[in-house]
Amino acid sequence: MFMASLKQLKTQFLEYVEIEKGRAIRTVENYDHYLTVFLEQTKVTDPSEITDAKVRDFRIWLNRQTTGNNRATGETIKKKTQNYYMIALRSFLKFLAKRNITSLPADQIELAKVGERQIDVISQEELKRLLDAPNKEKNPERKARDKAIMEMLFSTGLRVSELCSLTNDLDLRLDEFPIRGKGGKVRVVFLSDEAKAAVKAYLALRKDMSDALFVKIADEISKKPTDEGLTRRSIERIVKRYATIAGISKKVTPHVIRHCLHPDTLIFLPHTIMSAKELFESSSKNITAVDFKKGKTIKSKIIQKTNHRFVDLINISANGYTISTTKDHLFFTIGINGVEEVFAKNLKIGQFVAGIRKARMDSSNKSESKDKWRLIGYILGDGTISEKRRGVIIADKNLSFVNHYKNIIVSEYKHQPTIIKKNSVNSYLLNFYSKSFIAYLRKIGITEKSPFRRVPKSLFSQNKATIAHFIAGYYDAEGNEGSSVKFFSTSKMLLKDIQMLLLTLGIDSHLYTRSRRVRLPGGKLIDHVMYNLQILHKPDQELFKKIIPTLKKTTPNDIFEGEKIPVREILRDIYHSLDNKWHNFARYLKIEEGIDIYRYVGTTTSIIPTKEVLKKIIKYLRGAHCKDKRLNFLENLIESNNIQWLRVNKINKQKYKGLVYDFAVDKYENLITDGFISHNCFATDLLSNGADIRSVQAMLGHANIGTTQIYTHVTDKHLRDIHKKFHNKKLI
């Protein structure tokens, strides 16, 4: 009986992958490459020679190889790439097993563990700048073509190869068209009005006879039109060029535009803080909830996630905390019988909603250098990051501060930075030049300009000591010295991130916006928006001074009225239920404690009792033989140190067309969002200014879209509606 050689078996396997399995030609080519390298390196000639020892030797060899650009850096092949070789080999071994050919069992090959996939994401502001960048092009045809390319990538989520395959007979009267993607699979993608308009404008300028939708621009010298269509590499260069023009320092590729999902609402988990989008995409089930009976934050579980589209949102500001929600989002307030739910649409100015005073944060195992994170905090405040010069320049008027951070750089990075005095402005410049450090800053995402900076996401999962040192570094750079504790920034989201970090330390703070007119050195007046995060109350200021090792001197306020509990309705109802006993109760309370109960239960009063006042009122109510069970509830409110009550001071509508995220939480049915305590049960619509990843999967043609559509009940019509809502293009 004729026995095929290993080379022939490989050929049969590749034909099987192409025909029976229906894989793309590119996949077949990759499998061919991976198996050829394996066979050449191991020198096996028969399937029986493929043993565990041979595979292990090959993996060791592969792990030590440098290829392509890696040769210059000395970096070896990434684990993910090494796994591709093993995946191809496992598939080949399964093929052999199906034909009863003796060889190594496929299940004996384990893939190497790799870190979670990190998708580069550009912010909403960066996306706006990127889409506007072609407008700066002087050549009209190139400007129109590149604008159409950018809009098409954003609108459709097409892969670059798919974009290159488009022809100029595309029917722009329709809002959608079919595209054949990976593995020959056909899906429907959707065109925004902006994309259709941009393509029409481009085609109107075309003078060539090419069938391709996007072609190279006419030769600059001969001015003759070209019929040559754009290649994948050409489009990648175009996107990269406009990313540079837009001032985006992170790596931007056409694939990045497929993932423009902007997070907003911050949600507390036991070990970290995530945005609504991140939590929706993650596999994490743990979440921090609130047990109102005990007045404590507690670990709970997410039991379901969903999303739906919505038009217009409500912005709510309460005691320096802000959140954007749908009108049917549910908060918690205190009514006549205790904690009650209230829809966002029914909230009134002056009403109180439940917020968090101290968020549960379990001890983290992560313990990166506290000094390193302190330096990062300082750079976020006063640092100028220059990728061109591969360095960081920090300005400060206080020489002792500059020397402190110089010593950190020397200790952490074994580098001797320079200090220069600028006599003209009476300040000092600390210059730290390091290519690797700039690469690290880019990796953690803080190379943005000041108005767009955010706290690095990796900090949220650090331990409390590390968080405290980061905050100290930022406060050294952008904090107030003296009696008031204030942080300053031109980035609202940066201060909101710090506000959430402070909650993990049990420190309450209040975020405010300050608009003013500033006169530039040349005399020109400009409108300037500044944000400040203020720690108002004495206990919080004292805690800040105790645990935040800032170099600046802070002096806590001497005056603190006390934390207030909005229980007027309950007190009023209890008071009037006392019948004839209320006279004695009121008289003794006035004589013994100097408390006029009418100030808190009168129909026209708006005075809120503090915890101390409420404690005394309850004491005398019990002395008046009041048996109302709500007294127990009031005592729980007094004992609770994790919940605070936020007075709503501003409500306004926000124009918005897009998707909102929703989470159901087991047992406690609430979660902590932007410092507020939110109800769930699928009335909690947590904002993310981008499209839902599960719906977008269908638009992008990801492999498991069938399962996705079953899970979310998403139809093509639903996807079209989502697309229309998301691509209103009114980017904020």
Side-chain angles (χ1 to χ4, degrees):
M1 179 180 177
F2 171 75
M3 176 65 72
S5 68
L6 199 55
K7 186 176 181 180
Q8 291 172 321
L9 288 171
K10 186 191 78 168
T11 302
Q12 294 173 16
F13 165 69
L14 295 175
E15 292 170 348
Y16 164 77
V17 170
E18 180 182 354
I19 305 302
E20 278 85 348
K21 300 295 286 184
R23 298 287 189 245
I25 294 298
R26 186 62 181 269
T27 302
V28 176
E29 291 172 351
N30 287 337
Y31 274 26
D32 186 15
H33 168 71
Y34 299 139
L35 291 175
T36 299
V37 172
F38 173 77
L39 296 178
E40 289 178 353
Q41 178 60 30
T42 58
K43 295 182 171 53
V44 296
T45 58
D46 188 88
S48 61
E49 295 177 9
I50 303 176
T51 63
D52 186 64
K54 286 282 188 181
V55 173
R56 183 169 182 78
D57 289 342
F58 173 73
R59 297 183 77 160
I60 293 172
W61 172 83
L62 190 64
N63 191 55
R64 296 171 181 173
Q65 298 308 300
T66 57
T67 59
N69 295 332
N70 286 347
R71 291 194 181 99
T73 62
E75 295 180 8
T76 56
I77 298 176
K78 294 180 180 178
K79 296 291 184 186
K80 185 176 179 181
T81 305
Q82 295 178 39
N83 280 343
Y84 292 152
Y85 286 84
M86 295 300 105
I87 290 170
L89 181 57
R90 283 202 309 194
S91 297
F92 181 48
L93 293 174
K94 288 179 182 178
F95 169 79
L96 296 178
K98 281 186 177 181
R99 280 151 180 75
N100 298 318
I101 298 174
T102 303
S103 189
L104 179 71
D107 58 12
Q108 288 194 25
I109 297 179
E110 294 184 11
L111 299 182
K113 289 186 177 181
V114 295
E116 291 185 7
R117 182 184 179 191
Q118 296 294 319
I119 298 177
D120 291 319
V121 180
I122 57 177
S123 68
Q124 198 173 19
E125 177 61 32
E126 289 171 327
L127 174 61
K128 184 179 185 301
R129 301 203 309 266
L130 183 62
L131 294 177
D132 290 342
N135 295 330
K136 299 179 181 180
E137 177 60 54
K138 294 181 180 179
N139 184 310
E141 189 175 347
R142 179 174 282 110
K143 173 182 176 180
R145 182 198 66 182
D146 295 353
K147 179 68 173 176
I149 288 173
M150 304 300 282
E151 292 289 354
M152 282 289 284
L153 285 171
F154 175 55
S155 172
T156 62
L158 288 170
R159 297 179 175 90
V160 185
S161 58
E162 295 166 348
L163 189 74
C164 293
S165 70
L166 295 178
T167 57
N168 58 20
D169 62 352
L170 190 67
D171 191 346
L172 297 174
R173 294 172 300 175
L174 303 177
D175 294 336
E176 62 190 58
F177 63 90
I179 189 72
R180 188 176 297 277
K182 275 187 176 182
K185 296 178 182 177
V186 178
R187 72 183 191 278
V188 175
V189 296
F190 307 97
L191 280 168
S192 66
D193 292 338
E194 288 75 11
K196 288 192 289 186
V199 173
K200 285 180 182 178
Y202 165 56
L203 291 177
L205 296 175
R206 289 268 297 273
K207 298 180 178 62
D208 59 86
M209 302 298 291
S210 175
D211 291 333
L213 180 59
F214 296 110
V215 297
K216 293 184 177 180
I217 300 300
D219 184 84
E220 295 292 343
I221 299 176
S222 66
K223 304 298 181 182
K224 292 181 179 179
T226 175
D227 292 344
E228 191 177 349
L230 288 178
T231 64
R232 289 183 57 179
R233 187 70 187 114
S234 298
I235 293 175
E236 287 169 354
R237 288 194 186 101
I238 289 169
V239 173
K240 183 178 180 181
R241 175 170 176 263
Y242 288 119
T244 302
I245 292 174
I248 303 172
S249 59
K250 64 188 71 167
K251 183 180 179 181
V252 178
T253 66
H255 190 74
V256 167
I257 301 179
R258 301 177 78 225
H259 292 278
C260 293
L261 309 177
H262 180 63
D264 191 358
T265 303
L266 297 176
I267 302 173
F268 284 78
L269 280 67
H271 294 290
T272 188
I273 300 171
M274 283 188 182
S275 69
K277 181 188 80 69
E278 290 169 332
L279 180 58
F280 191 83
E281 293 175 4
S282 79
S283 59
S284 176
K285 297 293 184 184
N286 293 327
I287 198 166
T288 300
V290 175
D291 184 341
F292 277 104
K293 291 183 179 179
K294 297 180 179 178
K296 295 180 179 180
T297 52
I298 196 163
K299 187 186 293 185
S300 192
K301 295 281 185 182
I302 296 174
I303 56 175
Q304 195 168 354
K305 306 176 184 180
T306 190
N307 67 281
H308 53 278
R309 57 190 177 87
F310 213 87
V311 179
D312 296 337
L313 297 168
I314 297 175
N315 287 330
I316 299 167
S317 298
N319 279 47
Y321 291 85
T322 60
I323 190 170
S324 297
T325 75
T326 66
K327 63 182 181 179
D328 294 320
H329 181 90
L330 278 168
F331 294 97
F332 293 96
T333 189
I334 298 179
I336 195 170
N337 294 310
V339 175
E340 297 177 355
E341 301 160 4
V342 57
F343 285 110
K345 62 186 177 185
N346 295 331
L347 278 175
K348 307 294 182 185
I349 300 294
Q351 194 169 359
F352 286 80
V353 291
I356 202 71
R357 162 164 280 284
K358 182 177 182 180
R360 174 194 176 100
M361 185 69 81
D362 294 344
S363 298
S364 173
N365 294 324
K366 294 189 177 181
S367 56
E368 293 183 23
S369 168
K370 296 192 292 289
D371 281 342
K372 180 190 76 173
W373 277 104
R374 180 169 187 148
L375 175 64
I376 292 170
Y378 194 65
I379 291 171
L380 268 175
D382 266 343
T384 300
I385 302 167
S386 174
E387 293 214 49
K388 184 177 180 180
R389 298 170 65 182
R390 297 176 181 177
V392 175
I393 303 169
I394 301 171
D396 205 306
K397 293 182 179 180
N398 193 316
L399 181 58
S400 65
F401 286 18
V402 173
N403 281 322
H404 181 85
Y405 286 92
K406 175 186 176 182
N407 292 336
I408 288 178
I409 292 170
V410 172
S411 174
E412 289 291 319
Y413 298 98
K414 313 304 178 189
H415 182 93
Q416 195 67 236
T418 60
I419 297 176
I420 301 173
K421 184 177 182 182
K422 294 191 69 175
N423 293 323
S424 58
V425 291
N426 191 30
S427 68
Y428 299 87
L429 297 180
L430 177 63
N431 301 307
F432 175 29
Y433 299 103
S434 169
K435 180 181 178 180
S436 61
F437 185 65
I438 292 298
Y440 173 73
L441 294 181
R442 186 191 308 116
K443 179 181 178 182
I444 63 175
I446 65 166
T447 53
E448 289 287 352
K449 294 181 180 178
S450 296
F452 311 110
R453 287 183 178 175
R454 299 287 301 269
V455 168
K457 293 178 182 178
S458 53
L459 177 66
F460 287 123
S461 57
Q462 296 292 320
N463 60 34
K464 293 181 180 179
T466 304
I467 290 173
H469 274 72
F470 168 84
I471 293 173
Y474 187 83
Y475 198 81
D476 287 343
E478 290 290 352
N480 193 53
E481 195 161 26
S483 58
S484 60
V485 181
K486 289 183 182 178
F487 300 79
F488 302 93
S489 181
T490 55
S491 170
K492 180 179 181 180
M493 292 308 296
L494 173 59
L495 290 187
K496 192 168 184 178
D497 289 341
I498 293 176
Q499 184 181 41
M500 297 303 109
L501 287 172
L502 286 170
L503 282 178
T504 69
L505 303 176
I507 300 174
D508 179 38
S509 58
H510 306 258
L511 182 58
Y512 300 108
T513 302
R514 181 185 177 189
S515 300
R516 58 179 181 174
R517 305 210 79 186
V518 178
R519 188 179 298 278
L520 298 177
K524 182 181 178 181
L525 285 172
I526 63 169
D527 292 324
H528 180 68
V529 178
M530 194 76 179
Y531 303 94
N532 69 78
L533 184 66
Q534 189 169 358
I535 299 175
L536 295 175
H537 305 305
K538 183 178 180 180
D540 298 296
Q541 292 180 353
E542 288 176 336
L543 185 57
F544 178 87
K545 185 174 182 179
K546 178 180 179 182
I547 66 177
I548 306 297
T550 175
L551 300 177
K552 291 188 174 178
K553 295 180 180 178
T554 59
T555 306
N557 296 326
D558 291 330
I559 302 173
F560 176 60
E561 186 179 356
E563 186 177 343
K564 295 186 176 182
I565 310 292
V567 289
R568 288 196 308 265
E569 290 187 37
I570 294 179
L571 284 180
R572 186 181 296 129
D573 192 64
I574 293 175
Y575 173 74
H576 289 296
S577 69
L578 290 176
D579 297 326
N580 295 327
K581 299 175 184 176
W582 68 268
H583 295 289
N584 290 335
F585 158 69
R587 183 172 68 252
Y588 279 109
L589 189 62
K590 178 73 172 178
I591 294 172
E592 299 295 331
E593 303 293 346
I595 296 174
D596 185 355
I597 190 62
Y598 295 105
R599 299 181 65 203
Y600 303 105
V601 301
T603 56
T604 59
T605 184
S606 61
I607 299 175
I608 309 298
T610 65
K611 281 188 174 183
E612 289 302 315
V613 169
L614 183 58
K615 188 182 296 184
K616 293 174 181 177
I617 291 173
I618 293 172
K619 173 186 174 182
Y620 283 89
L621 280 171
R622 292 202 182 280
H625 304 289
C626 178
K627 303 296 184 184
D628 198 305
K629 293 181 179 179
R630 289 174 292 180
L631 293 183
N632 296 329
F633 167 72
L634 295 178
E635 286 173 335
N636 285 337
L637 289 179
I638 293 171
E639 294 300 319
S640 172
N641 293 318
N642 286 15
I643 300 173
Q644 63 175 327
W645 297 93
L646 308 173
R647 187 198 291 262
V648 176
N649 51 41
K650 190 175 182 180
I651 302 173
N652 54 48
K653 293 182 179 179
Q654 174 188 331
K655 288 293 181 182
Y656 174 78
K657 293 182 180 181
L659 294 178
V660 290
Y661 291 149
D662 206 357
F663 304 91
V665 180
D666 187 29
K667 188 177 179 180
Y668 300 99
E669 298 185 350
N670 64 68
L671 61 165
I672 303 169
T673 56
D674 284 342
F676 294 81
I677 303 175
S678 293
H679 197 285
N680 69 117
C681 294
F682 298 95
T684 305
D685 306 312
L686 303 178
L687 169 66
S688 173
N689 289 330
D692 159 40
I693 190 66
R694 301 193 186 278
S695 298
V696 173
Q697 273 183 314
M699 297 180 195
L700 305 186
H702 291 168
N704 61 344
I705 187 56
T707 304
T708 300
Q709 288 188 300
I710 291 171
Y711 179 82
T712 56
H713 308 289
V714 175
T715 63
D716 284 340
K717 181 181 183 301
H718 185 192
L719 290 173
R720 191 182 304 112
D721 292 340
I722 289 170
H723 185 272
K724 281 183 174 295
K725 294 299 180 183
F726 179 49
H727 282 89
N728 67 326
K729 283 298 303 307
K730 298 189 186 305
L731 296 174
I732 300 170

